[in-house]
Amino acid sequence: MKPPIIIIGANDFQNQLILRAKAMGYTTHVFAWQCGDAGERTADYFYPVSIVEKERILEIARAIKPVGVCSIASDLAAITVNFVAEGLGLVGNGMESAMTATNKHLMRRAFEKAGLPSCKSILVTEGTDLSALPLRFPVIVKPTDRSGSRGIRKVSDPKELPGAVAFAREPSFEKKVLVEEFAEGREYSVEYLSWQGEHTFLAVTEKFTTGAPLFVETGHLQPPKHLDEKTLANIRSLVPQVLDCLGVRYGASHTELKVDGDGTIRLIECGARMGGDCIGSDLVPLSTGVDFVRGVIDVACGAAPTFEPIGKTCVSAVRFLFSQADLDALERIRRESPESLYRVSEIPPIDGHEIRDSSTRYGYYILTAGTMEEMETLLQKAGLS
């Protein structure tokens, strides 16, 4: 009989986890709000329960008796994963760590206490006098408890601050906002996999965004093009300290940071889960050969992960669709370099709606190339150069 595993979330990113767990011989029990996502169809058992209903999921999970609970690309799901795992006595980081790693204010406090190079920030609640804040512009305004670029805005003029705070408060669950100094430089994310407090480096990803004011991700490249070996070594020295200060001992982590022209590193945030946007599920195995998704499943089920490469490595990238022009670029690549397309998501009609955060993008496609030079040509066609 196939052992049961619980997966929190059913969207396209989570579906890669569902498919991998099934291929490994697990019976997948998937919980998510029912809205037609791919995982609703691929799961062995699908439960139309929102991922935020952690108490109800735990109650159902007691009857399922899973060998592990996991998710790969969502802060919200990570809270429920740890709540259910703790309730069932399964592998996890515990709720204290989960809350610190999903609340940007608590995270900033932890970074400050540990003496890590984090951006300075101020917590803003409903009664805060914005005119009295000791700020140096420009600043970044963001919700304390959301991801996927939701509610983020760069502010250069103090007159714009009240509107930006209202914009950030709207998607926040706790209706709290951070106003923090703006860090200059290129942005990167770093993937690690932890087992019993030992942290193993996997990859660094270079990020492309729309820029100010919303900074919605337009794509990711792995390995990065602009990172030198000295800075990479400094990053690999820093991130394990980040994970230790957040109490992350098990599973995937996704640390975002910026590096300026002098090589100075500033921490943005760290999630105790695999990076979304196909970073962990696809780019890591493509560029390193390591089956990151399998590692997440192994850890959740109480087994030490393996880091032995399982296939050839290449340069990989993901490009997100924002407009008809982006779709036209995809069709050009499909005609001229079809061998470079690793996967193309489902793409709805391009109706011209505003792209305010990651959840409102139209879809994506993943590119592979044998060399960085070949990838640069593809990225130029994709509009990411």
Side-chain angles (χ1 to χ4, degrees), residues 257-275:
L257 49 82
K258 277 192 170 183
V259 180
D260 68 16
D262 296 326
T264 301
I265 301 169
R266 304 295 295 279
L267 287 169
I268 305 300
E269 58 190 64
C270 175
R273 42 84 177 171
M274 181 186 290

Side-chain angles (χ1 to χ4, degrees), residues 227-291:
L227 200 63
D228 62 76
E229 290 299 321
K230 179 180 178 181
T231 306
L232 176 59
N234 290 337
I235 289 172
R236 294 184 62 167
S237 174
L238 173 63
V239 173
Q241 300 176 59
V242 173
L243 300 177
D244 286 342
C245 93
L246 296 178
V248 177
R249 303 188 69 249
Y250 293 97
S253 60
H254 175 75
T255 304
E256 298 180 349
L257 49 82
K258 277 192 170 183
V259 180
D260 68 16
D262 296 326
T264 301
I265 301 169
R266 304 295 295 279
L267 287 169
I268 305 300
E269 58 190 64
C270 175
R273 42 84 177 171
M274 181 186 290
D277 280 3
C278 304
I279 292 172
S281 58
D282 295 279
L283 301 194
V284 168
L286 286 169
S287 70
T288 70
V290 175
D291 191 339

